[in-house]
Amino acid sequence: CIFFFLWVKMLKLICLGFALTISFLADGYAESVQNCGNGRILFEDSLQSPDVSWHFAENSKTRTGGEHGQTWTMEPDLWFLTLNEIGSFEDFDLCVDVTATFPENADSYASLAFWGIDQKNYYVLSIYPAKGLFGVFRVQKNTGFNPVGIQLHPAIIKTPGATNHLRVTVEGNKAIFWANGEKLSEMRGIPPAGGGQVGFELGTSKTDQGTSQFTVANFQIRD
């Protein structure tokens, strides 16, 4: 009887632990959905096994994949941009989670790209996690502009290994920028006629004193 009683108690503890785990995951998912608006999902990709619309190279020296998303390991002075080929979008909420590790005082950055036409014409919301900075940039005909200047914001998490949740909300020619649920800034831009592509950009500076690593996950577009 004693052994049976202990076995029942252990089973109850296992079930309780399982229930708490499910509840924790559900809460995390609900928070992520809330942080990206509540519109109809147009496209989403956890990036554990990337959708073919990303056109990622099968063999890459810098990229690895896994249960947490796609990870890029980048030496100083490298750049990577991808615009998803699923289609063009006009009014939308765009979100992504970026986990970064970096050398001290690095200028490495992670960006959420929108209003894209090609790799010479697009906008990005960029964060520099080592320094807690953000800015908004436009590349037009391969020339760079900085409509929202680089500035500090307490919403950007600077801890190496932390995840920053980035969001861009677009209505007509107005774009609102968010990090971790807090509004960073807003601006009016020049969206492409008929909508633009979305994606993300990663980069390191030639002055960085070592390798940076970015894990990108939970890419989502909502109406």
Side-chain angles (χ1 to χ4, degrees), residues 150-191:
I150 298 174
Q151 55 196 279
L152 283 168
H153 199 287
I156 298 166
I157 304 172
K158 299 190 289 184
T159 307
T163 299
N164 280 283
H165 177 79
L166 305 183
R167 176 185 175 191
V168 176
T169 303
V170 167
E171 296 179 6
N173 69 343
K174 181 180 178 181
I176 306 173
F177 309 105
W178 314 78
N180 303 311
E182 292 190 34
K183 182 178 176 180
L184 302 175
S185 187
E186 63 181 67
M187 58 165 270
R188 295 193 182 277
I190 307 174

Side-chain angles (χ1 to χ4, degrees), residues 6-215:
L6 290 174
W7 181 83
V8 170
K9 292 287 286 183
M10 185 177 295
L11 183 62
K12 287 182 177 179
L13 288 172
I14 292 172
C15 291
L16 177 61
F18 179 76
L20 289 173
T21 300
I22 294 299
S23 175
F24 175 78
L25 291 174
D27 289 345
Y29 176 76
E31 181 180 357
S32 177
V33 169
Q34 182 179 8
N35 283 344
C36 202
N38 55 11
R40 178 173 57 97
I41 294 175
L42 303 177
F43 175 79
E44 64 178 344
D45 192 351
S46 69
L47 290 169
Q48 294 177 352
S49 299
D51 191 83
V52 294
S53 57
W54 291 108
H55 290 193
F56 290 152
E58 290 188 12
N59 298 312
S60 171
K61 294 181 179 180
T62 59
R63 179 178 61 87
T64 57
E67 61 179 343
H68 300 296
Q70 297 298 299
T71 299
W72 281 262
T73 303
M74 304 177 71
E75 298 294 330
D77 201 22
L78 288 179
W79 171 83
F80 173 76
L81 168 71
T82 179
L83 295 174
N84 190 280
E85 292 289 338
I86 200 70
S88 295
F89 303 91
E90 294 185 86
D91 294 343
F92 56 86
D93 266 311
L94 173 66
C95 297
V96 75
D97 291 330
V98 180
T99 304
T101 58
F102 37 79
E104 185 178 0
N105 209 36
D107 286 318
S108 55
Y109 60 89
S111 307
L112 194 51
F114 63 103
W115 285 343
I117 299 173
D118 53 35
Q119 298 215 346
K120 296 181 180 180
N121 296 275
Y122 59 94
Y123 286 76
V124 287
L125 162 64
S126 299
I127 63 167
Y128 301 78
K131 297 180 177 178
L133 299 170
F134 86 94
V136 178
F137 301 87
R138 182 187 185 187
V139 176
Q140 182 186 23
K141 297 180 181 179
N142 217 29
T143 299
F145 301 90
N146 183 203
V148 179
I150 298 174
Q151 55 196 279
L152 283 168
H153 199 287
I156 298 166
I157 304 172
K158 299 190 289 184
T159 307
T163 299
N164 280 283
H165 177 79
L166 305 183
R167 176 185 175 191
V168 176
T169 303
V170 167
E171 296 179 6
N173 69 343
K174 181 180 178 181
I176 306 173
F177 309 105
W178 314 78
N180 303 311
E182 292 190 34
K183 182 178 176 180
L184 302 175
S185 187
E186 63 181 67
M187 58 165 270
R188 295 193 182 277
I190 307 174
Q197 290 178 272
V198 298
F200 55 90
E201 179 185 46
L202 308 170
T204 54
S205 170
K206 62 182 179 182
T207 61
D208 289 351
Q209 301 299 306
T211 300
S212 292
Q213 189 174 79
F214 302 96
T215 298

